[in-house]
Amino acid sequence: MPRMIVNARINGEEHELFTDPHRTLLEALRDTIGLTGTKEGCGTGDCGACTVLLDGSPVNACLVLAPEVEGKEVITIEGIATDNTLHPVQEAFVNEGGLQCGICTPGMVLSAVALLDRNPTPTETEIRYAIAGNLCRCTGYDKIVRAIEVAAEASR
Amino acid sequence: MSRNEVGRALRPDGATLHVTGRSRFVGDLPLPARALVAWPVQSPHARAKVGAIDASAARALPGVAMVLTGADVPGQNDTGPVRHDEPLFPVEVRHHGQAVAWVLADDAPTARRAASLVGVAWEPCAPMLDLDAAIAAGSFHTEPQWISRGDVEGVLAGAAPDRELVVVEGAFRTGAQDHFALETHASLAVPESDGRLVIHSSTQHPAETQSVVARVLGIDLNQVVVQCSRMGGGFGGKESQANAWAAVAALGAALTGRATFVRLDRDRHMGMTGKRHPFLARYRAAIGRDGKVRALDLELYSDGGWSLDLSDAVMGRAMLHADNAYRIPSMRVRGQVVRTDRTSQTAFRGFGGPQGMAVAEEVIDRLARAAGLDPHEVRSRNLYAAAGEAGTTHYGQEVGDDRLRTIWESLERSSSFATRRAEARAWNATAEASRRRRRRGIAMTPVKFGISFTTTFLNQAGALVNVLVDGSVQVHHGGTEMGQGLQAKLSQVAADCLGVPVRSIRMMPTRTDVVPNASATAASSGTDLNGGAIRDACATLRDRLAPVAASLLSGTGTVVDPAEVTFAAGEAFAASRPGATVAFAEVARAAHRERIGLSATGFYRTPGIWFDRGAGRGRPFAYFACGAAVTEVEVDGFTGEMTVLRVDILHDAGASINPLVDVGQVEGGFVQGMGWVSSEEVVWGSDGRILTHAPSTYKIPAATDVPAAWHVALLPRAAQAGVIAGSKAVGEPPLMLALSVREAIREAVAAFAPAGTSPSRVDLRLPATGEAILDAIDATRAAGEGG
């Protein structure tokens, strides 16, 4: 299959991705641009480790083909902190111990950021549903939920 | 040792890297130029002889560098960690999905496509896929092990005419569990110009990975360096089972001279690697009308899968934990590892302990209900005492303190157990009339978990501590970080041992050429063992630095004795010179000028432990980690859905080095255990294929499955003598707190019995999936109707 060029804005920068049309956004981010903060946990859209924001909405990058992001804005975990200042969600995950091994963390943080962007005052249940598609095998989730609550508080 | 840093809720090492996506796991490392990617050629049969392998079409594919087969192995074609029974390239496959060849290509899609072009002349034969059939056929990996105390036969045989005793017998099974670390197995082997190989591996046991690589390549250990900076979860799944993939990467690198990368995707990871062992327990047990358990006769069989792996030690630990926290005066345990044609089941958090303890709780519940007693009361009555006969396990080790009782009574109070149980029962009593489909159950279970590798020689560790001339410190040790917070806790230990702030400490990646021959980071031992080694190295350095500090502190007319020098918070001071201090960095610089070595190794071995396997007697554990949990659940009688309403935990982490980390271990361990006893069901098809091959079909708990009401506390005033900083190991023990979930479900199921009746047994499968719960409810209803 011929390769194609995909234009997208990734973490605020315009990128020209030269890619096979059947490559996933996950592969393009990791292998072509070297943004390895986006992780592959299952490759089938069931674990959420590859969550990125596509025009502000959380998606599993393993289920999005690279050509689908033509003309769109992609935010990965590398694009959340500004000027070396952590996003309140990142800050809260660190301070509340909302992470252990760290490999689900990027996806988890982005799901939380997306939640707080559209609902700055979520209930605990809303938080749990917002991250229900992000599996974590280490923490048991409680400290993650608390971290998102703290971040919501701090963002107000 | 001061306690400036130890005891603080220090953030996990690398937390900022994790939240910004900058932490690199093996799969994130930039590949060296011309690196190759490997992909396996897998068996479509659970058992088959491997005939001719035709790789010509694969080799012809552009981008394919090589197809590795058994003929390419320069050393031993074997990766078995204990017994050498794991051919890397088998002539007979022993489980579905086993690799028989590996394609090396420029990229993963090419390697994968080429692997599908490799032709293999399979000669399938009938696989052994059933545990009971394998037992009947005498298909075992091991001879039976025994632990025995008291006259079990005498009690059980004499029981029938004795009206004071109630005897039960039965069989009970526990299911497999996939580790489901979010990071799958990965290894990158890089050939160095001098012939050495450097292997970046996601392994809990770098020294064993090194050893297996050297065995397969037929070279000395000193030619191989294995590095593990961090893992994306381990849970035991990377204790022995990271080795084979590292060996493939190393073989590729050695033969092609190009860096070689192996990463299993989720399907291959779950289809090719071992799980928590499924167990079958056959038991006979007796209880007195006084609620005291009198005897337990137990046969344990584990499904070890195709090779031995660590199954023998897993069975040993199961046998040592088949008492859980209960004194059983006459007890006999027989354990044997069964061989089937499945993945090779392996270490998984608890290492047989969960299976043994699940059996103990099953037996307690059976005995209590058969005798018409309250299971909670029976648990309480049979808890071990601190010492003497009532505090001695079936293998002869004294429990040593009365923490079990303290925890039990304290948690009963703090969780309002009695009140809440009465409320749940009242709620259930009105359920029928209120047309509610749901019933509630609440239960409390204890945990007593032995700490130390039961293979005594493994209880050793080394460390290397380097003080730099600016007063900053690098700490190396043999432990690996997999999210359990080891590096954070050990940085606190090192800081206090040297008397410097934790920000002066840099924890270094684990490498086999810096701290050699290290044991696996397993058995919850990481902090105890490596902390002991770091303390030893720091003591050496402090002894060398004290005279230097003393001379810096000595002033006109005052000579400071090195013995009175104290290092704390980055300064040295002495009682005889109040107010005078000297910075640690200044001491380091002065020591360097005086040609005093600023680098020291440390070593630790756990004292006082031994076990005579033949006699089934000893003191295999340095101490026991204890805890208890109260879980309240609701069960839907129409759908089988189970909801955990509330969890209360009191756990003994000693004098916690880092409460943030330790509470995280308790919470995470509990939820992982909850998955094992409830939603996580590993299913193999009749052809031996694993059907639960990905999160699409295998259900680990999600954020919406865990209770919102969550009360976790660490036992206060709990310093443990003889352990680093008075702390206690906390990695595995909390997993078994989740047995309270299973017992709570059982209580809820029992509430479906017709009003006014109380079932004399409630059978519940493990895992208690929705289907299993419905089956249990049906059986309870039918029994109540005299069916």
Side-chain angles (χ1 to χ4, degrees):
Chain A
M1 234 178 290
R3 290 192 151 199
M4 58 190 291
I5 290 173
V6 178
N7 294 288
R9 197 172 166 79
I10 299 171
N11 295 335
E13 279 178 32
E14 297 298 336
H15 277 266
E16 266 191 0
L17 295 173
F18 187 52
T19 178
D20 287 332
H22 60 267
R23 295 210 96 186
T24 65
L25 175 59
L26 173 63
E27 290 167 324
L29 289 171
R30 288 180 59 85
D31 302 341
T32 310
I33 315 182
L35 292 173
T36 54
T38 308
K39 310 296 182 188
E40 178 183 314
C42 68
T44 51
D46 293 304
C47 79
C50 64
T51 302
V52 298
L53 304 185
L54 188 56
D55 284 347
S57 294
V59 297
N60 287 312
C62 71
L63 295 185
V64 176
L65 289 174
E68 291 182 78
V69 304
E70 172 67 38
K72 296 193 173 173
E73 168 148 58
V74 179
I75 304 283
T76 73
I77 191 65
E78 290 91 346
I80 292 294
T82 45
D83 305 330
N84 291 326
T85 307
L86 294 181
H87 185 282
V89 170
Q90 293 172 312
E91 187 87 42
F93 269 64
V94 171
N95 290 336
E96 300 302 308
L99 54 85
Q100 287 183 24
C101 82
I103 201 157
C104 76
T105 308
M108 200 67 87
V109 165
L110 285 165
S111 286
V113 167
L115 167 70
L116 297 187
D117 280 350
R118 63 174 188 274
N119 177 4
T121 56
T123 63
E124 174 165 341
T125 304
E126 285 169 334
I127 292 173
R128 286 185 186 277
Y129 276 88
I131 59 167
N134 293 84
L135 295 179
C136 169
R137 192 51 151 169
C138 295
T139 63
Y141 303 102
D142 198 68
K143 290 189 189 305
I144 293 175
V145 173
R146 300 304 146 223
I148 298 171
E149 285 175 342
V150 166
E153 195 73 34
S155 306
R156 257 167 240 159
Chain B
M1 186 171 139
S2 60
R3 281 185 82 91
N4 290 324
E5 300 291 356
V6 160
R8 207 154 71 72
L10 182 74
R11 307 155 168 192
D13 192 63
T16 306
L17 300 179
H18 292 323
V19 297
T20 52
R22 286 184 287 135
S23 51
R24 277 189 180 151
F25 297 83
V26 172
D28 301 329
L29 296 173
L31 294 182
R34 301 184 65 245
L36 295 168
V37 179
W39 199 272
V41 177
Q42 295 177 267
S43 169
H45 306 287
R47 188 159 177 183
K49 291 206 164 54
V50 182
I53 296 177
D54 177 7
S56 52
R59 287 200 185 94
L61 203 69
V64 171
M66 193 172 178
V67 179
L68 296 172
T69 66
D72 299 311
V73 176
Q76 259 190 62
N77 178 19
D78 192 276
T79 63
V82 178
R83 185 180 290 165
H84 290 196
D85 61 351
E86 292 184 15
L88 186 58
F89 299 93
V91 292
E92 182 182 20
V93 294
R94 295 299 302 257
H95 72 91
H96 186 280
Q98 191 170 1
V100 296
W102 289 78
V103 174
L104 308 180
D106 291 343
D107 54 43
T110 307
R112 183 173 193 165
R113 188 157 160 246
S116 73
L117 299 176
V118 174
V120 181
W122 305 104
E123 294 172 41
C125 32
M128 181 67 80
L129 296 170
D130 181 71
L131 184 63
D132 300 75
I135 294 168
S139 172
F140 296 109
H141 281 297
T142 62
E143 294 298 314
Q145 309 177 46
W146 293 90
I147 298 174
S148 181
R149 170 177 70 187
D151 180 15
V152 175
E153 274 311 326
V155 175
L156 290 170
D162 183 349
R163 289 186 181 173
E164 290 307 302
L165 285 189
V166 175
V167 176
V168 298
E169 65 174 282
F172 172 60
R173 289 164 201 275
T174 63
Q177 182 180 27
D178 191 275
H179 306 79
F180 209 86
L182 263 288
E183 179 207 29
T184 53
H185 282 294
S187 268
L188 170 64
V190 182
E192 296 291 321
S193 54
D194 59 4
R196 277 178 310 127
L197 281 171
V198 175
I199 296 158
H200 299 269
S201 170
S202 182
T203 174
Q204 289 173 243
H205 198 172
E208 188 178 81
T209 302
Q210 172 192 31
S211 171
V212 166
V213 163
R215 188 200 305 168
V216 170
L217 295 183
I219 57 178
D220 287 341
L221 288 169
N222 64 8
Q223 302 300 310
V224 182
V225 176
V226 174
Q227 171 167 339
C228 178
S229 303
R230 61 166 59 83
M231 283 167 275
F235 315 116
K238 295 167 180 169
E239 182 172 348
S240 61
Q241 304 223 346
N243 298 337
W245 329 119
V248 169
L251 190 58
L255 295 178
T256 64
R258 295 164 69 176
T260 303
F261 178 58
V262 177
R263 179 184 164 270
L264 304 185
D265 67 357
R266 182 59 59 186
D267 279 18
R268 259 137 287 273
H269 182 105
M270 291 182 78
M272 297 169 80
T273 66
K275 322 286 169 217
R276 185 187 296 289
H277 292 72
F279 266 61
L280 164 65
R282 294 186 187 135
Y283 62 85
R284 290 186 301 150
I287 190 171
R289 295 279 174 198
D290 58 358
K292 289 278 199 179
V293 179
R294 298 291 159 77
L296 172 61
D297 187 18
L298 188 59
E299 277 179 20
L300 295 176
Y301 297 97
S302 68
D303 182 345
W306 73 279
S307 71
L308 180 64
D309 190 78
L310 306 172
S311 299
D312 197 36
V314 170
M315 175 56 79
R317 186 168 278 271
M319 295 168 69
L320 294 169
H321 286 81
D323 57 340
N324 189 6
Y326 308 114
R327 155 79 180 165
I328 304 172
S330 295
M331 183 161 170
R332 179 171 63 190
V333 193
R334 177 193 190 277
Q336 198 168 10
V337 182
V338 179
R339 175 175 177 154
T340 63
D341 295 325
R342 287 176 169 175
T343 52
S344 184
Q345 319 315 1
T346 191
F348 192 154
R349 202 176 198 169
F351 204 76
Q355 294 95 323
M357 289 158 68
V359 172
E361 293 300 336
E362 173 77 8
V363 169
I364 290 280
D365 188 84
R366 275 290 314 273
L367 286 171
R369 290 184 201 276
L373 298 167
D374 171 9
H376 180 74
E377 193 51 42
V378 170
R379 287 193 176 94
S380 175
R381 263 183 228 173
N382 289 281
L383 284 183
Y384 276 116
E389 210 168 294
T392 302
T393 63
H394 54 301
Y395 47 90
Q397 176 163 0
E398 278 198 344
V399 172
D401 56 43
D402 56 3
R403 289 180 191 205
L404 272 170
R405 181 62 64 187
T406 305
I407 289 169
W408 187 262
E409 289 174 357
S410 169
L411 186 64
E412 270 184 331
R413 281 193 302 275
S414 66
S415 68
S416 310
F417 182 80
T419 314
R420 285 171 54 208
R421 190 158 76 149
E423 285 166 2
R425 284 179 174 169
W427 194 83
N428 290 338
T430 60
E432 196 77 50
S434 321
R435 304 179 66 80
R436 282 196 299 261
R437 305 196 310 226
R438 294 181 156 242
R439 301 290 185 276
R440 288 182 182 165
I442 180 169
M444 177 164 166
T445 55
V447 165
K448 170 190 116 292
F449 191 79
I451 299 300
S452 292
F453 287 98
T454 55
T455 306
T456 303
F457 87 88
L458 297 175
N459 295 289
Q460 56 173 309
L464 170 69
V465 177
N466 298 331
V467 175
L468 289 306
V469 290
D470 65 352
S472 67
V473 180
Q474 289 178 327
V475 176
H476 302 263
H477 58 89
T480 54
E481 175 67 44
M482 60 195 101
Q484 82 279 43
L486 179 66
Q487 298 291 43
K489 287 168 78 168
L490 292 183
S491 71
Q492 292 170 279
V493 168
D496 279 355
C497 286
L498 284 177
V500 299
V502 81
R503 65 171 180 277
S504 298
I505 305 287
R506 173 94 229 173
M507 301 305 293
M508 302 300 288
T510 311
R511 278 179 71 107
T512 57
D513 58 347
V514 181
V515 176
N517 311 317
S519 292
T521 306
S524 308
S525 70
T527 303
D528 289 13
L529 298 180
N530 296 294
I534 289 168
R535 180 179 54 192
D536 183 40
C538 292
T540 302
L541 288 166
R542 239 180 18 230
D543 288 348
R544 288 187 206 156
L545 291 174
V548 180
S551 80
L552 290 172
L553 286 166
S554 297
T556 339
T558 324
V559 175
V560 172
D561 182 347
E564 53 165 331
V565 171
T566 302
F567 293 96
E571 291 179 329
F573 49 90
S576 61
R577 294 270 294 161
T581 61
V582 54
F584 186 80
E586 202 180 320
V587 179
R589 260 193 306 274
H592 185 59
R593 279 195 302 271
E594 289 176 30
R595 297 186 293 169
I596 288 166
L598 289 174
S599 173
T601 58
F603 185 75
Y604 181 77
R605 58 174 170 238
T606 312
I609 50 172
W610 61 279
F611 190 65
D612 180 340
R613 204 183 134 116
R617 283 282 173 286
R619 188 177 183 278
F621 303 120
Y623 57 88
F624 295 98
C626 300
V630 173
T631 298
E632 185 170 7
V633 304
E634 213 171 84
V635 158
D636 188 313
F638 184 64
T639 63
E641 184 188 16
M642 185 276 292
T643 311
V644 180
L645 300 175
R646 173 173 164 180
V647 175
D648 295 70
I649 292 171
L650 182 57
H651 192 78
D652 173 17
S656 173
I657 290 175
N658 185 328
L660 186 74
V661 164
D662 286 352
V663 170
Q665 287 297 295
V666 173
E667 295 177 352
F670 180 91
V671 170
Q672 198 168 55
M674 182 180 115
W676 175 55
V677 302
S678 62
S679 65
E680 295 181 36
E681 185 173 33
V682 178
V683 181
W684 282 273
S686 57
D687 60 352
R689 181 193 304 258
I690 190 155
L691 300 178
T692 45
H693 59 96
S696 55
T697 42
Y698 184 72
K699 169 70 182 148
I700 72 166
T704 41
D705 299 320
V706 296
W710 190 232
H711 307 270
V712 179
L714 299 179
L715 183 68
R717 296 175 298 281
Q720 180 76 22
V723 190
I724 185 75
S727 70
K728 278 177 120 160
V730 74
E732 292 164 293
L735 184 130
M736 287 144 278
L737 295 167
L739 290 169
S740 61
V741 177
R742 179 174 142 76
E743 297 309 323
I745 296 171
R746 184 157 21 210
E747 284 290 319
V749 168
F752 284 95
T757 68
S758 171
S760 62
R761 64 186 289 176
V762 179
D763 290 335
L764 181 65
R765 295 199 295 273
L766 191 165
T769 57
E771 186 182 8
I773 290 171
L774 274 186
D775 287 347
I777 291 171
D778 283 351
T780 303
R781 282 178 168 145
E785 286 153 10

